[in-house]
Amino acid sequence: MPSYISDSRLNSYEAAFCGATAGVVSRFFTAPFDVVKIRMQLQPHRTQFQLKHADPKTIKYTRIIPALKTILREEGIRGLYKGNLAAEYLYLLYNAVEFCAYREIELFIEKLDSQNQIPAAAKTFTSGMLAGSAATSITYPLDLLRTRFAMQGTHNQTEGIIGFYWGVWPTLMQIMPYMGLVFTTYDHIASTFKAARENGTLSPDHKPMHDMLSGALSGIVSKTVVYPMDVVRKRLQVQGPSRKHYVISAIPEYATRSWFKCMKLIAAQEGVSSLYKGLTVSLIKVAPAISMTFFVYEKTKDMVISWKS
């Protein structure tokens, strides 16, 4: 049985259109938080799990609101949208590929499992994992450029074609469980809401709110699980294969290390909690981002279906 996300009334192109629309809208509203998250992730200071705030005299970006104010004061409104043009293309293409691929992969798995022996959660997780991997592989160069532009450096760096895929392995290692969890968690929560609406426990008029809440919760759970991999990915992306013209010279050498060794090095030199630098701002961003993505996707899907009827 298809998941809550899929709809037999949509073809692959229509699913891609709905995904692209959702990606563009979601990105526009969350771009400033993404810039803050990246700035926090790439600060090489040692951290500890503690309640008191870091010293702003030695650490530039310590908390979300002050960081937003600092960027706004030093760089203007454009600073909060550094790399956003590349990111808009990224989100448009990424979500188009992802939702289209999800639909096709899920249909393929359904055909293979004609006897319904595979658990529904496993199908959703596998479909989300593979769809996220396909979308990431296609859009990775744009993601790398988005990260570089979000930083403050002004030096140019020539790395060749391979430079566009620097750090791709930790990205894929992160995105596979992440998107698998996002789609599985969303499907489970949204399906629960759907059942409650159908039996009269909840009002059908509140479906948009249910979809948004399902997306927010799925994003929070999934992002927290895979966040350390995201920190490693950003370090590798910004550094690139060479230290020449590196924009943050204080960060240790990671380029010749695997993503797992890089993670161990960060934990050893900066503390284990450094693997969660920027987590708060990331969750503040991811909750509305995933929520809005699925909300806009569902609304666009309903609109397309109404056009066809």
Side-chain angles (χ1 to χ4, degrees):
M1 180 179 178
S3 66
Y4 179 87
I5 303 162
S6 299
D7 196 305
S8 59
R9 293 170 291 179
L10 290 181
N11 59 37
S12 298
Y13 298 108
E14 291 164 344
F17 171 75
C18 294
T21 303
V24 170
V25 174
S26 173
R27 170 63 197 184
F28 178 80
F29 288 102
T30 60
F33 294 104
D34 199 38
V35 171
V36 171
K37 182 198 72 170
I38 292 174
R39 298 282 178 94
M40 286 182 170
Q41 284 180 328
L42 298 176
Q43 292 180 133
H45 61 280
R46 173 171 286 276
T47 64
Q48 295 179 346
F49 288 111
Q50 55 187 6
L51 295 178
K52 67 178 183 180
H53 297 301
D55 184 2
K57 295 181 180 179
T58 58
I59 303 171
K60 188 170 186 178
Y61 306 112
T62 58
R63 289 173 290 165
I64 299 170
I65 300 302
L68 287 170
K69 291 181 178 179
T70 297
I71 296 172
L72 189 62
R73 181 179 65 255
E74 295 181 352
E75 306 168 44
I77 189 67
R78 290 185 178 181
L80 296 176
Y81 284 88
K82 274 190 174 179
N84 190 54
L85 182 60
E88 286 289 2
Y89 287 124
L90 165 67
Y91 276 63
L92 185 154
L93 182 58
Y94 184 94
N95 281 273
V97 173
E98 183 176 56
F99 280 95
C100 177
Y102 180 88
R103 177 187 181 279
E104 294 301 317
I105 294 170
E106 187 179 54
L107 288 176
F108 178 74
I109 294 176
E110 287 290 341
K111 290 180 181 179
L112 290 179
D113 186 35
S114 57
Q115 302 299 320
N116 291 323
Q117 296 180 340
I118 302 176
K123 295 179 184 178
T124 306
F125 184 88
T126 302
S127 299
M129 178 182 69
L130 295 178
S133 299
T136 298
S137 298
I138 292 174
T139 62
Y140 189 79
L142 288 173
D143 186 32
L144 184 141
L145 290 175
R146 182 269 305 259
T147 299
R148 297 281 179 90
F149 290 155
M151 295 311 299
Q152 293 173 304
T154 57
H155 295 292
N156 294 322
Q157 187 171 346
T158 302
E159 302 165 15
I161 297 298
I162 193 172
F164 284 111
Y165 285 90
W166 193 257
V168 69
W169 288 116
T171 300
L172 289 175
M173 291 297 293
Q174 173 208 356
I175 208 67
M176 291 174 72
Y178 176 62
M179 292 315 304
L181 285 170
V182 165
F183 278 94
T184 303
T185 308
Y186 175 80
D187 181 63
H188 176 73
I189 299 174
S191 295
T192 301
F193 277 124
K194 180 182 179 181
R197 290 194 301 270
E198 291 176 344
N199 63 28
T201 304
L202 296 176
S203 171
D205 296 335
H206 297 155
K207 179 182 181 299
M209 183 180 67
H210 300 158
D211 290 337
M212 293 183 71
L213 182 59
S214 299
L217 292 175
S218 68
I220 290 172
V221 171
S222 305
K223 177 59 72 174
T224 302
V225 172
V226 305
Y227 193 77
M229 294 182 181
D230 191 39
V231 173
V232 173
R233 175 169 67 102
K234 290 294 187 296
R235 294 290 180 94
L236 293 176
Q237 282 182 334
V238 170
Q239 181 166 294
S242 171
R243 285 296 295 249
K244 184 179 180 181
H245 300 318
Y246 185 45
V247 297
I248 307 179
S249 59
I251 293 182
E253 177 69 59
Y254 297 124
T256 59
R257 304 176 185 272
S258 68
W259 69 271
F260 183 69
K261 289 182 178 179
C262 178
M263 185 180 294
K264 290 176 62 178
L265 185 61
I266 294 172
Q269 295 188 352
E270 303 172 31
V272 175
S273 62
S274 291
L275 293 172
Y276 291 89
K277 284 178 179 178
L279 175 61
T280 301
V281 68
S282 184
L283 293 180
I284 290 176
K285 174 210 166 187
V286 79
I290 300 297
S291 175
M292 191 172 297
T293 295
F294 279 110
F295 169 74
V296 177
Y297 178 81
E298 295 292 340
K299 296 297 288 185
T300 308
K301 182 174 72 175
D302 293 340
M303 181 181 65
V304 172
I305 291 174
S306 67
W307 285 349
K308 296 175 67 175
S309 61

